[in-house]
Amino acid sequence: MAETTYFGMEGTGDWTHPDYRPKNYRQTAFELFPDSPAPFTFVLSKLPTSSTNDPEFKLYEWRLPKQSCILNGALVAGTAVLEEDTVTLATTGDEGTAPARAFKAGDMLRVEDPTDCSEYDTAIAKGSEVLVVKSINSNTTMTCYRYWGNTNITDGTPDVFGTVADGAVLRWVGSVYREGSQAPASLTKRPTIVSNYTGIFKDAVKITGTAENMNVRPYKPWPQFKGECLERHMMKLEWNLLNSVPYETESVATSTIDASASGAYARSTGGLRYWIEQAQGSVSFAAGVDIDTVEDEMETVFTYGSKEKLCFVGYRALNILNKLVRTNSAWNWNGESLPKKMTYGLEVFQLTSPFGRLNLIPHKLLAESAVQTQDVFIIDTKYVEYVYMAGRDTKWHDNVQLPDEDARRGYFQTECGLRLALPEVHAVWTGLNALAA
């Protein structure tokens, strides 16, 4: 079994290993320019990839139910143990428009916050009501038995029967079935379908016949131009995979792009920022960065997904995080980068919290933007995948000059997109520009 390097990249992290030589142009660019400002594109080149035969590709996201629901309307006081009541659920919870379908007959639901129950006794911490589901009536309603186990802890007689407040959270805590009962009702959950597109990226280089044959030292002009074109191509891929939006149209003004392709579709792929912010927005630190807020956001970042995640950090944001750690010495901050033989030459710093570890990669392209230098992209590499159109990953097309043109022309072309699963395991932090006053 092959050795695994940091944050899920294949191989040992060292290009000198013969089995991990570059196998495509993206990996070649990674080896040639390890200090290039396109680390996300380079990391993707060493993560699992997939091909598609359709420029619109789909992702089917399966999430386990959160085992909780929210009341839509208060439950009035009853009169007896196991009294039946119709419970209506809100559609603002994690289960969307069909919250009742996440449960089945026999499920036990406990009011999560006891203070939502009118008869909660703070002196003995008793009185949080438990309901048992009798039947599911619709997407949002179910019939429940009220006051399960609602007996006095002293003499076994029923306690006072109280109300439950509107908006109370009901949490699944178990199930109730008779001896010898049949199999329970089955639960099915449809996947969430997310679509993205492959975008086409092109970067060309040209040299005159005279210049190509000049004796220029220390490099031959054409290989030098080709290498610069490849790095420029990777940088544009980087910006796109970070910031682009998904779109497809036939009505684009093709004369400004390629008149010869009039009537053909033009597409762009959705990048990291789009998918994360569409799902959950971004976290703004515009009011100032302080240790409490960062710790709170670290807790959120690691609520779902892996306990080790990768961050692409603008220089200003990295500066502020460094100052924050310096003024809070109890934090675990690895001020020295990881051995580059583990990371294919990338410079990686680590920030550790009780919830998980962030691997921070300084991002030069973000640093070039007065706004995005304050940003942090946090990704769980387990749920990110580079998708390319079959046969159209990064390729070099040479000698595409016109027949009567006294020049040599070539270009790199990539048709690719980004598949980002479960946006809640990723995050975007913005506005890390100054410490809080």
Side-chain angles (χ1 to χ4, degrees):
M1 183 175 178
E3 233 181 304
T4 301
T5 186
Y6 240 83
F7 33 80
M9 293 195 298
E10 65 178 4
T12 62
D14 187 358
W15 287 114
T16 61
H17 193 292
D19 289 341
Y20 303 119
R21 66 190 187 282
K23 297 178 175 64
N24 54 51
Y25 267 109
R26 289 182 296 115
Q27 291 186 4
T28 298
F30 193 178
E31 183 186 30
L32 292 175
F33 317 115
D35 199 33
S36 172
F40 181 44
T41 302
F42 288 168
V43 168
L44 287 175
S45 74
K46 298 298 288 182
L47 292 174
T49 62
S50 65
S51 63
T52 178
N53 56 12
D54 191 314
E56 181 179 1
F57 57 92
K58 300 184 183 298
L59 170 67
Y60 296 84
E61 294 182 339
W62 295 86
R63 290 174 172 83
L64 293 174
K66 298 291 180 63
Q67 305 296 330
S68 66
C69 55
I70 302 171
L71 280 183
N72 183 17
L75 301 181
V76 301
T79 59
V81 172
L82 302 186
E83 179 176 286
E84 293 184 21
D85 201 349
T86 299
V87 176
T88 303
L89 304 179
T91 57
T92 54
D94 292 318
E95 300 306 318
T97 58
R101 300 298 180 187
F103 304 98
K104 65 184 186 303
D107 283 349
M108 295 173 63
L109 304 175
R110 181 180 183 272
V111 180
E112 187 155 65
D113 185 351
T115 60
D116 285 328
C117 301
S118 63
E119 295 304 320
Y120 178 68
D121 189 335
T122 56
I124 60 173
K126 183 177 184 296
S128 191
E129 185 177 331
V130 176
L131 304 85
V132 175
V133 179
K134 178 185 178 183
S135 62
I136 305 299
N137 305 328
S138 69
N139 285 345
T140 56
T141 63
M142 53 190 180
T143 299
C144 295
Y145 297 110
R146 301 277 305 277
Y147 311 115
W148 176 268
N150 188 15
T151 54
N152 189 287
I153 59 175
T154 303
D155 58 17
T157 59
D159 265 342
V160 178
F161 304 104
T163 63
V164 181
D166 178 27
V169 174
L170 305 182
R171 176 73 59 181
W172 186 93
V173 293
S175 56
V176 177
Y177 296 106
R178 293 180 181 273
E179 294 182 18
S181 58
Q182 295 180 335
S186 60
L187 295 178
T188 57
K189 185 174 175 62
R190 294 178 179 176
T192 302
I193 302 175
V194 181
S195 297
N196 200 0
Y197 302 105
T198 57
I200 298 175
F201 308 88
K202 297 181 180 183
D203 286 283
V205 62
K206 174 183 175 181
I207 190 172
T208 66
T210 302
E212 186 179 11
N213 288 280
M214 289 177 62
N215 184 18
V216 180
R217 296 181 180 179
Y219 305 108
K220 286 287 187 181
W222 184 247
Q224 176 75 7
F225 289 178
K226 182 179 176 182
E228 291 175 356
C229 184
L230 176 60
E231 186 170 15
R232 187 169 65 249
H233 190 66
M234 293 297 107
M235 291 166 62
K236 290 182 178 180
L237 274 177
E238 183 84 357
W239 273 126
N240 195 275
L241 294 174
L242 289 177
N243 290 306
S244 184
V245 297
Y247 191 61
E248 178 184 58
T249 182
E250 190 181 7
S251 60
V252 68
T254 52
S255 60
T256 63
I257 299 175
D258 186 353
S260 66
S262 179
Y265 280 93
R267 302 177 186 87
S268 61
T269 188
L272 271 182
R273 188 186 298 274
Y274 173 84
W275 292 115
I276 295 172
E277 292 186 349
Q278 280 289 109
Q280 61 197 31
S282 59
V283 178
S284 174
F285 288 83
V289 183
D290 61 77
I291 190 69
D292 290 338
T293 305
V294 172
E295 286 180 330
D296 289 345
E297 293 307 325
M298 291 275 278
E299 178 185 359
T300 301
V301 162
F302 290 105
T303 298
Y304 304 108
S306 306
K307 295 305 177 185
E308 188 151 344
K309 299 189 179 184
L310 190 59
C311 304
F312 300 101
V313 190
Y315 279 21
R316 183 60 186 170
L318 186 62
N319 186 345
I320 295 302
L321 288 174
N322 189 57
K323 290 178 179 179
L324 187 69
V325 173
R326 179 163 47 82
T327 57
N328 294 272
S329 57
W331 260 41
N332 189 347
W333 168 261
N334 184 359
E336 295 184 4
S337 64
L338 295 174
K340 291 188 175 182
K341 284 193 173 184
M342 295 172 58
T343 61
Y344 290 103
L346 290 174
E347 197 159 35
V348 182
F349 302 89
Q350 293 184 312
L351 182 61
T352 303
S353 78
F355 311 106
R357 179 184 292 118
L358 295 178
N359 293 282
L360 282 65
I361 297 180
H363 200 291
K364 292 182 178 179
L365 281 185
L366 294 180
E368 293 177 2
S369 164
V371 175
Q372 295 195 55
T373 188
Q374 306 170 26
D375 292 353
V376 179
F377 290 84
I378 302 174
I379 65 168
D380 189 331
T381 55
K382 183 178 178 181
Y383 300 99
V384 179
E385 186 177 45
Y386 175 90
V387 180
Y388 60 91
M389 192 70 176
R392 291 172 64 81
D393 198 0
T394 305
K395 285 187 175 181
W396 170 249
H397 300 268
D398 205 352
N399 292 312
V400 297
Q401 64 274 4
L402 297 173
D404 61 347
E405 190 175 10
D406 181 21
R408 182 177 181 182
R409 186 193 299 268
Y411 68 95
F412 283 100
Q413 176 174 299
T414 305
E415 186 169 0
C416 70
L418 190 66
R419 181 179 281 133
L420 190 76
L422 305 177
E424 59 266 32
V425 307
H426 316 284
V428 175
W429 294 352
T430 63
L432 284 83
N433 189 41
L435 295 177

